[in-house]
Amino acid sequence: MIVLSQVSKVLSSGGQPLTVLHPLDLTIDRGQFVAVMGPSGSGKSTLLGLIAGLDDPSGGEIRVDGQTLTQLNEDQLARFRSQAIGFVFQSFQLISTLTGLENIVVPMEIRGLPTPRTRGLELLEMVGLEARGGHYPAQLSGGEQQRVAIARAFACNPSVLLADEPTGNLDSGTGGRIIELLKSLHREQQTTMMLVTHDPEIAGAAERIITLRDGRVVGDSTQAKPMGRQEARS
Ligand SMILES: Nc1ncnc2c1ncn2[C@@H]1O[C@H](COP(=O)(O)OP(=O)(O)OP(=O)(O)O)[C@@H](O)[C@H]1O
Ligand SMILES: [Mg+2]
């Protein structure tokens, strides 16, 4: 569960304070699939960065799975991030000197998880790239790189997945496949997901849509979820 209490962000812009997020309260249930929408500059990426613990709020408190982020020191925060949170950012951020498979396996090795290679191959299969694991990012298309980034984000079984416009650079066909992939991973692993998107069709796949404007929540709607197959693979 993610709980934000009176969380705000004020930056300084040319010596003047600029309120990027006005104090906001937000509760996201464990396992919920949330889309965050709103115009450019409304604070979506800022909100995700705060929940990820990549950025400090100017006020208020953020709790993720019972941990109060503002009470953790840098080391604790880094550990918490690597254990609990997966990221998918628009710019993929794959390591160019590692193959697709290695990009997925290395974070698991760093964390000392058992059988990283087997799990890496499993994840590659889930994203439909089992034949491309030996390729370097430069040898993969944008959509393929994005699928590697998603597999990597899921590799350490994060309880929270944060994705900032994961389909922003992709054509609609590839984007649609990425969304199907996120949905099926969400279904199979009950991950809490927050996805920033500009695409209303993609947001339609979410259970809840939070809309920001000028640093405020101006919309928060829960939509009936088309029930998919429930037999989760275990
Ligand atoms: N380091 C910074 N210094 C000053 N202003 C900033 C800084 N980072 C972000 N902002 C401002 O904060 C506001 C919110 O930015 P944010 O990146 O969260 O918007 P966004 O909703 O993600 O927009 P987009 O859809 O374009 O990605 C913007 O007005 C932006 O200019
Ligand atoms: Mg943004």
Side-chain angles (χ1 to χ4, degrees):
M1 192 158 86
I2 301 169
V3 182
L4 276 66
S5 313
Q6 290 294 298
V7 168
S8 63
K9 185 71 189 179
V10 182
L11 294 165
S12 123
S13 159
Q16 296 293 313
L18 172 73
T19 303
V20 174
L21 282 179
H22 295 271
L24 71 87
D25 294 315
L26 200 58
T27 299
I28 291 162
D29 292 333
R30 180 180 283 273
Q32 202 167 42
F33 180 172
V34 180
V36 180
M37 304 192 77
S40 179
S42 57
K44 305 179 298 295
S45 297
T46 303
L47 178 64
L48 237 60
L50 290 172
I51 294 171
L54 292 169
D55 192 9
D56 292 325
S58 308
E61 192 182 91
I62 302 172
R63 272 188 293 140
V64 180
D65 286 347
Q67 286 276 9
T68 303
L69 300 192
T70 36
Q71 288 172 355
L72 302 180
N73 65 32
E74 279 299 314
D75 286 351
Q76 292 169 320
L77 198 56
R79 198 170 326 126
F80 173 76
R81 265 203 307 268
S82 76
Q83 286 173 1
I85 295 180
F87 305 97
V88 183
F89 287 148
Q90 190 170 358
S91 56
F92 314 146
Q93 299 178 332
L94 297 179
I95 296 169
S96 62
T97 54
L98 300 180
T99 65
L101 179 61
E102 287 163 353
N103 263 283
I104 300 167
V105 167
V106 166
M108 290 190 273
E109 286 175 346
I110 290 171
R111 284 210 39 218
L113 296 185
T115 65
R117 212 184 147 76
T118 309
R119 170 104 174 109
L121 289 168
E122 222 174 80
L123 283 161
L124 268 184
E125 199 185 323
M126 273 166 106
V127 299
L129 285 178
E130 59 275 24
R132 312 296 301 270
H135 292 220
Y136 291 88
Q139 301 169 315
L140 298 169
S141 73
E144 289 166 345
Q145 290 181 48
Q146 188 65 316
R147 282 186 275 161
V148 171
I150 289 172
R152 181 182 57 179
F154 273 94
C156 297
N157 289 319
S159 58
V160 176
L161 184 96
L162 303 171
D164 198 350
E165 302 194 40
T167 59
N169 282 328
L170 308 177
D171 64 84
S172 65
T174 310
R177 280 201 295 281
I178 298 281
I179 292 302
E180 283 310 312
L181 176 66
L182 286 169
K183 270 163 53 179
S184 72
L185 290 172
H186 173 248
R187 210 162 43 225
E188 287 169 13
Q189 307 197 8
Q190 284 82 50
T191 311
T192 309
M193 302 216 311
M194 270 185 99
L195 190 105
V196 171
T197 182
H198 285 290
D199 183 344
E201 222 171 294
I202 290 169
E207 296 163 302
R208 178 176 175 189
I209 299 178
I210 293 170
T211 309
L212 295 182
R213 184 181 296 272
D214 297 331
R216 289 189 168 89
V217 174
V218 295
D220 188 348
S221 63
T222 306
Q223 39 190 6
K225 190 175 60 149
M227 293 309 283
R229 288 180 305 119
Q230 285 304 295
E231 67 280 10
R233 226 170 53 182
S234 55

